[in-house]
């Protein structure tokens, strides 16, 4: 398709991910300075991922070679600039078939916005990724409670405090 912006017509030829399975609001995440991440990218119809979690990946899926499977384990590591914004990200995940994914990304731009109803903030970055060596585009939503973000910026904590999760009940 195409879009028109300020009178200029631009072709649109890309893949994008927008998950709408927001689940039940977990207010305990926000009461204790918590936060985490919501990260996704797509290279094409055969290669993509959606990751939920902080340092540990708690759920999501990956599509490799056109086959989509749930993620069963993984890690997510962010490098940050001196203001706390993500500059690069590295994730390793394993799916239900035992396939492995490595996604490495670099921030291209970032914006911050409040999260209504939970006293939170979300730093959303446009990210250029490599998924198992395949170029892709996506985003990273680095979310914090207002208290946690304030504590981080005052040097009291080094990263969001993740809530304790019971037996994988949150897995996608």
């Amino acid at each position: 398709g195409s879009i028109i912006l300020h009178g200029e017509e631009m072709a649109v030829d890309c893949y994008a991910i927008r998950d709408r399975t927001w689940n039940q609001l977990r207010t305990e995440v926000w009461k204790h300075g918590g936060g985490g991440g919501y990260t996704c990218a797509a290279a094409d119809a055969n290669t993509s991922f959606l990751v939920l979690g902080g340092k540990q990946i708690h759920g999501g899926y990956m599509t490799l070679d056109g086959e989509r499977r749930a993620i069963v384990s993984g890690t997510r590591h962010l490098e940050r600039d001196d203001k706390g914004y993500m500059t690069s990200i590295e994730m390793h995940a394993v799916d239900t078939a035992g396939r492995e994914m490595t996604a490495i990304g670099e921030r291209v731009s970032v914006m911050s916005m409040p999260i209504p109803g939970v006293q939170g903030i979300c730093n959303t970055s446009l990210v250029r990724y490599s998924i198992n060596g395949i170029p892709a585009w996506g985003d990273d939503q680095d979310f914090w409670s207002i208290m946690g973000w304030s504590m981080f910026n005052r040097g009291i904590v080094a990263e969001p405090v993740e809530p304790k999760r019971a037996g994988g009940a949150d897995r996608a």
Side-chain angles (χ1 to χ4, degrees):
S2 65
I3 62 170
I4 297 174
L5 179 64
H6 303 294
E8 179 184 350
E9 185 169 351
M10 297 177 223
V12 177
D13 182 16
C14 69
Y15 290 89
I17 296 174
R18 187 67 221 153
D19 177 43
R20 295 287 183 176
T21 58
W22 292 332
N23 295 320
Q24 183 178 16
L25 178 62
R26 297 188 56 215
T27 57
E28 76 275 12
V29 171
W30 306 102
K31 290 181 182 174
H32 304 291
Y38 180 101
T39 308
C40 62
D44 53 41
N46 297 310
T47 311
S48 63
F49 68 83
L50 170 80
V51 166
L52 309 168
K55 289 170 74 174
Q56 296 298 311
I57 295 172
H58 301 294
Y61 66 84
M62 55 196 211
T63 304
L64 299 175
D65 299 320
E67 184 180 349
R68 180 178 151 180
R69 295 276 185 136
I71 291 174
V72 295
S73 65
T75 58
R76 176 178 168 272
H77 175 75
L78 276 65
E79 292 291 327
R80 298 179 183 279
D81 64 18
D82 61 349
K83 294 181 180 166
Y85 299 110
M86 182 276 286
T87 57
S88 65
I89 184 169
E90 185 168 340
M91 291 171 290
H92 301 278
V94 177
D95 70 11
T96 57
R99 300 177 305 165
E100 297 182 3
M101 177 192 74
T102 296
I104 299 170
E106 300 237 356
R107 180 188 80 203
V108 175
S109 64
V110 65
M111 71 174 181
S112 296
M113 60 189 148
I115 304 172
V118 294
Q119 300 296 313
I121 186 168
C122 182
N123 302 316
T124 301
S125 298
L126 173 63
V127 182
R128 181 183 303 115
Y129 283 99
S130 169
I131 305 171
N132 288 354
I134 300 170
W137 286 92
D139 66 62
D140 178 70
Q141 297 178 27
D142 184 28
F143 55 88
W144 299 65
S145 69
I146 295 289
M147 178 179 69
W149 184 246
S150 174
M151 289 168 51
F152 173 81
N153 280 286
R154 290 182 286 143
I156 298 170
V157 297
E159 57 197 36
V161 178
E162 294 186 56
K164 296 197 187 305
R165 297 175 188 266
D170 297 325
R171 282 221 164 104

